[in-house]
Amino acid sequence: MKRTSFFHTSSLVLVALTGLLTTACRSYFLDVEPQQSISDQSVIVDAATAEVALLGVYDKLQSSNYYGGDGYQAAAYLAGGDNLWVGTLNYYSNFITHSYRSDNTLLNNVWSTIYTAVNGANNVIDKVEKLDNRVITEAVRKQYIGEAYVLRSLALFDLARAWGNVPTILKPTTSPSDFDGVKQSTQKDVYRQVLADLTTAESLLPARVDRNRVTLNTVYALKARVHLYNGDFQEAETYASKLIADSNYELVSWATILNGKNTKESIFELTYSTADRSAHYGSWSNDGYRNQFCPGPDLYALLQNPATGGERKQLIKDISTPAIRNYFVQLLYWRSTSDNPTYLFRIAEQYLIRSEARIKKATPDVAGALADLNAVRARSKVAALTVTTVAELALALENERRVEFAFEPHRWFDLVRTNRAATVLGVTDANKWIFPIPYNDLAADRDLVQNPGY
């Protein structure tokens, strides 16, 4: 891998850290003084600057192009078929029709942002390991490196599930030629690297509860998800079970989720404030303005139906008029205080991961899988199912994940990983199940190979 379009200076460390240091203080836990000028060699010199660099990676995770609302998440929930594009930018509407191309602006921005997060994490891993014991305690060193491993793992996983074969960059970039000759890893190889990194982090991170920072429990949650995608169903069940058995997490009411922060439902959530709003807040249609994204009528019907949505009807409301039809407003990311969180891992996902893993492992456990599925339904005041076959349960799980994660970026990736995108969405060209590598990066990097069909 040579120079890609986001490596515009001779040192991406300056791009990924200096810029982040000036913005990272916006979020409530990023309460550090920005350093306006910092050299490549002195970016991380002690525990304080190590934390600044680490929080810069969190800031990229929170950005609008990643999990902040109108980037990575937007691509996923528009491609998933349940939401409408009511804005004017064609490069968003391409995801509704699955007509995206390599010059799609959104894909270019998302790819660049996620790789910048990868490089920021690499910088923390590399430099914190080398710090003298006189400037950082061993416990803090392990924690920061462990957090960086997990953040890098999440970024690489998200790249692989969206783009398939991607470059796996594990060292900080300091010059455009650092990774000449580095080819793309297969999606399976990326997943293996992600799991290896998570295993390393597992030995470094403390066993504590912090719903806004990466901990050992975040490792378990991500491992469960990656194992499910990778077809390691026994492992997926094992890691999901660790969290389900932890009394710090439980299925709480939807009213609690929608009105609270850091509830027992949450394993890891990104937090925002009235001064640092997520892009979700300004991108979704709301009571006063029909903005870029809007839930679709089929999703509204599912959520309002007592047999499928139950208490999840609170996630959406209809304010259509004769003049404006299909004007639906989602309420997961809309609060009068404008400080809604973004959920990356919830305990409900762990129940549904374990349920799916139980029916797909070598010796299926239909009763256990049904119990997990019905636990999530019971929380939403939806009647328990009584299906008895693996095929019936697999379809029930697909439908349950659709409504449970109505405004979280799972639906599209679920249909792709289960080979159901053609049947459910009519996307019969399997090449469209993976996004195209951005054109600018292909033009700048002779080592990159475009995905088939683009």
Side-chain angles (χ1 to χ4, degrees), residues 277-405:
R277 295 191 271 186
S278 74
H280 283 292
Y281 186 84
S283 297
W284 286 93
S285 294
N286 58 68
D287 287 0
Y289 181 61
R290 196 174 194 202
N291 210 351
Q292 302 176 79
F293 314 128
C294 176
D298 290 344
L299 182 60
Y300 175 76
L302 282 170
L303 291 174
Q304 295 302 306
N305 186 339
T308 52
E311 290 300 305
R312 288 173 293 215
K313 66 183 179 181
Q314 299 172 70
L315 279 163
I316 193 171
K317 64 180 179 179
D318 181 7
I319 59 172
S320 302
T321 67
I324 307 178
R325 303 187 51 151
N326 294 330
Y327 191 167
F328 304 107
V329 174
Q330 63 77 29
L331 300 176
L332 183 65
Y333 301 116
W334 186 260
R335 302 185 184 188
S336 60
T337 50
S338 71
D339 59 348
N340 52 274
T342 294
Y343 300 99
L344 269 64
F345 297 99
R346 293 195 286 116
I347 193 64
E349 183 192 2
Q350 301 305 308
Y351 275 93
L352 295 180
I353 284 175
R354 188 169 74 172
S355 182
E356 185 175 342
R358 281 175 163 174
I359 62 169
K360 290 183 176 179
K361 63 183 183 178
T363 304
D365 175 9
V366 175
L370 186 59
D372 283 340
L373 172 61
N374 281 331
V376 175
R377 291 172 67 86
R379 181 268 294 281
S380 298
K381 304 295 191 294
V382 178
L385 291 176
T386 57
V387 297
T388 57
T389 70
V390 169
E392 289 175 322
L393 194 47
L395 182 58
L397 276 165
E398 179 183 295
N399 293 332
E400 192 66 25
R401 288 179 67 94
R402 180 183 185 184
V403 292
E404 178 67 23
F405 307 120

Side-chain angles (χ1 to χ4, degrees), residues 78 184 213 219 286 389:
L78 289 174
Q184 287 146 278
R213 290 280 289 264
V219 174
N286 58 68
T389 70

